[in-house]
Amino acid sequence: MEGKEEDVRLGANKFPERQPIGTAAQSQDDPKDYQEPPPAPIFEPEELGSWSFYRAGIAEFVATFLFLYISVLTVMGVVKSNSICGTVGIQGIAWAFGGMIFVLVYCTAGISGGHINPAVTFGLFLARKLSLTRALFYMLMQCLGAICGAGVVKGFMGANRFELYKGGANTVNNGYTKGDGLGAEIMGTFVLVYTVFSATDAKRNARDSHVPILAPLPIGFAVFLVHLATIPVTGTGINPARSLGAAIIYNRSHAWHDHWVFWVGPFIGAALAALYHQVVIRAIPFKSK
């Protein structure tokens, strides 16, 4: 019994390792059963000689590839139907995006952190959860994976049908201004990245180590809810790689007119979420050393 009580006191993870997405780190010597993970260095060139670095990048590529494949195919199925009753509708699109994020984060969190989104990577970089070297590599692999995923969808659908159904590309919808679209992308990405920070917060994981919290679930659910809210405005980007992959494969002028919205908005939203969580919620800059 004494051994079991000690295990409960120490929490689920008693090894102080720095994780890419900010998982828990506890220590036996810490009276609060919690140790703040050290900030990642800005530049970490030794990562380039590590297989785990490239393995993580490959995981991000494959995850984003699968994400675009399933999500864009779902969008195509809804757009091509003559009757809304014959498709999964907007709710189904939202479930496809949120469900795939849940599944893919669950699968890749232990390898790369399960970002699958340059905005998430950017927010975590600003919070010093990963180095600039790793952040840039992740973003590159995410964009390449998204392009390949959308390309496979075009191969399945055929060029004519893919272009007829607008390739799942994000644009600001009729009736809304670019400012509306930018605001929707900022707010949607803020919700997503704030959820990522909260779901993977090391202090919460240490405090609630007796509660089995599955971080991918709230992250996927946040994606689902944001899609329900913003599909009518922008089709919901909140992921620059997703928007870029669909735009490149579709490659029509109107897909590029508003494309900047789907980079600027998510990056601003991610930065605001990182600032809010680190400065206001965790008060990291104000903590004594």
Side-chain angles (χ1 to χ4, degrees), residues 12-240:
N13 177 15
K14 56 186 176 181
F15 301 102
E17 299 176 351
R18 175 169 57 79
Q19 299 292 341
I21 203 167
T23 52
Q26 290 92 20
S27 169
Q28 296 186 32
D29 301 325
D30 193 331
K32 294 185 295 183
D33 196 25
Y34 163 71
Q35 181 179 354
E36 189 74 46
I42 299 296
F43 296 101
E44 202 166 12
E46 58 269 20
E47 285 185 316
L48 299 177
S50 169
W51 164 241
S52 64
F53 176 80
Y54 297 100
R55 181 185 64 178
I58 294 170
E60 287 293 308
F61 172 88
V62 171
T64 315
F65 168 85
L66 294 174
F67 177 58
L68 265 289
Y69 170 71
I70 295 296
S71 58
V72 173
L73 264 182
T74 304
V75 172
M76 294 286 95
V78 172
V79 172
K80 75 176 184 179
S81 177
N82 295 324
S83 171
I84 192 171
C85 296
T87 72
V88 295
I90 289 178
Q91 294 86 350
I93 292 174
W95 275 121
F97 278 86
M100 279 304 291
I101 289 297
F102 166 66
V103 169
L104 294 171
V105 171
Y106 177 82
C107 291
T108 60
I111 302 172
S112 65
H115 298 189
I116 321 171
N117 185 335
V120 171
T121 300
F122 180 65
L124 292 171
F125 165 70
L126 293 180
R128 301 290 300 279
K129 303 296 183 182
L130 72 165
S131 67
L132 179 62
T133 312
R134 186 175 291 262
L136 293 176
F137 184 49
Y138 277 15
M139 290 181 189
L140 174 63
M141 297 302 282
Q142 289 157 0
C143 290
L144 290 176
I147 294 168
C148 292
V152 169
V153 173
K154 183 175 181 178
F156 282 176
M157 299 290 294
N160 292 334
R161 282 191 297 173
F162 187 82
E163 293 175 8
L164 179 63
Y165 306 141
K166 300 182 180 179
N170 288 121
T171 58
V172 178
N173 292 326
N174 293 333
Y176 296 95
T177 66
K178 288 182 173 60
D180 296 332
L182 182 64
E185 289 296 305
I186 291 173
M187 292 299 297
T189 311
F190 180 92
V191 171
L192 169 59
V193 178
Y194 178 43
T195 303
V196 169
F197 274 109
S198 298
T200 60
D201 184 84
K203 185 174 183 179
R204 168 175 288 184
N205 289 343
R207 182 190 63 202
D208 299 333
S209 59
H210 60 290
V211 180
I213 297 177
L214 189 61
L217 181 58
I219 296 171
F221 200 60
V223 172
F224 165 71
L225 294 174
V226 170
H227 274 75
L228 285 182
T230 58
I231 281 176
V233 184
T234 62
T236 308
I238 69 171
N239 184 333

Side-chain angles (χ1 to χ4, degrees), residues 243-263:
S243 300
L244 178 67
I248 285 179
I249 300 301
Y250 179 53
N251 197 27
R252 290 294 179 268
S253 60
H254 62 273
W256 296 108
H257 288 164
D258 306 325
H259 189 70
W260 65 272
V261 169
F262 301 98
W263 283 86

